[in-house]
Amino acid sequence: MDFCYYANTIFMVMLLFFPKNEKLFMVCFSFAEGPLAWALIVWRCSLVFSSVDKIVSVLIHLLPGIVFFTIRWWDPTTFEAMFSGGTARQHASWPYAEDSSYLWTWLFVVPLAAYTLWQLIYFLIVDVLRRQRLLRDPEVMTSYRELSKKAQKANNFWWRLSGLLGDDNRSVMYILLQAAFTVATMALAVPIFLSYEMHVTFQILKVSASIWNGGSFLLEVMPKQVVLKEKKKLEMKPVTAQPEQPSASSTDTTLTNNYHGSKEAIHSGTS
């Protein structure tokens, strides 16, 4: 199970069964506005309505952040919790945390531990338990295969960076890069949690990026794909057999035979 599905499963559990749990909310917030949200931008998820796969990819990375943005800032009970004084804070569903150590614990440390648990389970399943099946069937897509395929095709910065330790160690580099990416994006989730203006700007950035990527795909990538498909169709068409053209030697032989035949006919006629 890729991290996006792992995180979305936790979101569903929190929203359905523990909607008033402040600590679980903060963990989910870190996931949604950390790795999931930034993956939308870094891995260029595209909002293309003609592709179900691309729509699903955008939604599972974009919608959780919008949901937790709404709960964090626009839910009346949570909005009351933002005020440091008065009776409103006493009746809030989850009190506004002013202690920085408390914030960093539940927005960074605990989510990072949950991510590490997922990474260990993922490594155990993909690289140990299912390793032989994956080697036998290269068509089975994992997150590493999908992302490395895109990076190799584009020959971009990420592909060159993942090859620093050699082609045989690209999977190790992928794990290290993924870990660094997760640490950085979860750290950014803390100031986003504290600032309404920053959070609004981040929502606009995510939506704009997915729309821009979708437009770039439709205008740049899709026409190239159509051209390649047409070329493949032309290459696969059977070549129709052309009628054999008489060679120069056979033509000369025919003319010679006709000449001798005509000559013999003249001689027989005169005799």
Side-chain angles (χ1 to χ4, degrees), residues 66-83:
I66 295 176
V67 170
F68 291 112
F69 168 83
T70 304
I71 296 174
R72 172 71 182 90
W73 301 105
W74 291 348
D75 179 70
T77 311
T78 351
F79 185 75
E80 291 176 355
M82 292 178 58
F83 297 97

Side-chain angles (χ1 to χ4, degrees), residues 118-184:
W118 166 81
Q119 186 69 82
L120 291 174
I121 295 173
Y122 184 86
F123 177 80
L124 178 65
I125 294 173
V126 173
D127 290 345
V128 180
L129 299 178
R130 307 286 287 177
R131 180 178 178 83
Q132 294 303 320
R133 184 183 184 282
L134 291 172
L135 289 176
R136 288 194 306 267
D137 190 356
E139 296 299 321
V140 176
M141 279 294 114
T142 62
S143 60
Y144 166 70
R145 283 184 175 179
E146 181 69 22
L147 294 176
S148 62
K149 181 181 177 182
K150 289 182 179 179
Q152 182 181 13
K153 189 176 180 180
N155 194 24
N156 56 19
F157 168 77
W158 300 108
W159 177 251
R160 293 190 292 273
L161 187 62
S162 67
L164 288 179
L165 300 180
D167 289 337
D168 295 336
N169 295 314
R170 284 189 185 274
S171 59
V172 176
M173 279 297 297
Y174 170 76
I175 293 174
L176 295 177
L177 290 173
Q178 181 77 6
F181 171 80
T182 303
V183 170

Side-chain angles (χ1 to χ4, degrees), residues 22-232:
E22 172 193 351
K23 295 175 181 177
L24 185 56
F25 172 85
M26 296 174 78
V27 172
C28 291
F29 184 96
S30 179
F31 283 168
E33 296 297 58
L36 254 66
W38 284 100
L40 190 74
I41 300 170
V42 174
W43 296 114
R44 295 180 60 83
C45 294
S46 306
L47 187 61
V48 180
F49 293 104
S50 59
S51 172
V52 176
D53 291 341
K54 291 186 179 298
I55 291 177
V56 171
S57 179
V58 168
L59 292 181
I60 63 177
H61 290 88
L62 179 64
L63 286 184
I66 295 176
V67 170
F68 291 112
F69 168 83
T70 304
I71 296 174
R72 172 71 182 90
W73 301 105
W74 291 348
D75 179 70
T77 311
T78 351
F79 185 75
E80 291 176 355
M82 292 178 58
F83 297 97
S84 58
T87 58
R89 184 182 177 186
Q90 299 174 5
H91 300 290
S93 60
W94 55 279
Y96 179 67
E98 295 178 335
D99 185 3
S100 60
S101 63
Y102 182 86
L103 281 174
W104 281 96
T105 298
W106 291 101
L107 284 173
F108 182 75
V109 177
V110 175
L112 191 59
Y115 166 82
T116 305
L117 175 63
W118 166 81
Q119 186 69 82
L120 291 174
I121 295 173
Y122 184 86
F123 177 80
L124 178 65
I125 294 173
V126 173
D127 290 345
V128 180
L129 299 178
R130 307 286 287 177
R131 180 178 178 83
Q132 294 303 320
R133 184 183 184 282
L134 291 172
L135 289 176
R136 288 194 306 267
D137 190 356
E139 296 299 321
V140 176
M141 279 294 114
T142 62
S143 60
Y144 166 70
R145 283 184 175 179
E146 181 69 22
L147 294 176
S148 62
K149 181 181 177 182
K150 289 182 179 179
Q152 182 181 13
K153 189 176 180 180
N155 194 24
N156 56 19
F157 168 77
W158 300 108
W159 177 251
R160 293 190 292 273
L161 187 62
S162 67
L164 288 179
L165 300 180
D167 289 337
D168 295 336
N169 295 314
R170 284 189 185 274
S171 59
V172 176
M173 279 297 297
Y174 170 76
I175 293 174
L176 295 177
L177 290 173
Q178 181 77 6
F181 171 80
T182 303
V183 170
T185 55
M186 284 183 177
L188 288 172
V190 179
I192 289 175
F193 181 85
L194 293 173
S195 172
Y196 175 76
E197 291 78 10
M198 186 180 293
H199 206 175
V200 170
T201 303
F202 191 45
Q203 299 305 309
I204 296 172
L205 175 64
K206 290 188 296 181
V207 175
S208 301
S210 61
I211 294 174
W212 177 269
N213 293 336
S216 299
F217 180 85
L218 291 173
L219 296 176
E220 297 176 7
V221 179
M222 189 173 285
K224 294 179 181 178
Q225 291 179 347
V226 172
V227 171
L228 288 175
K229 285 182 180 179
E230 291 299 323
K231 285 184 178 179
K232 288 181 179 179

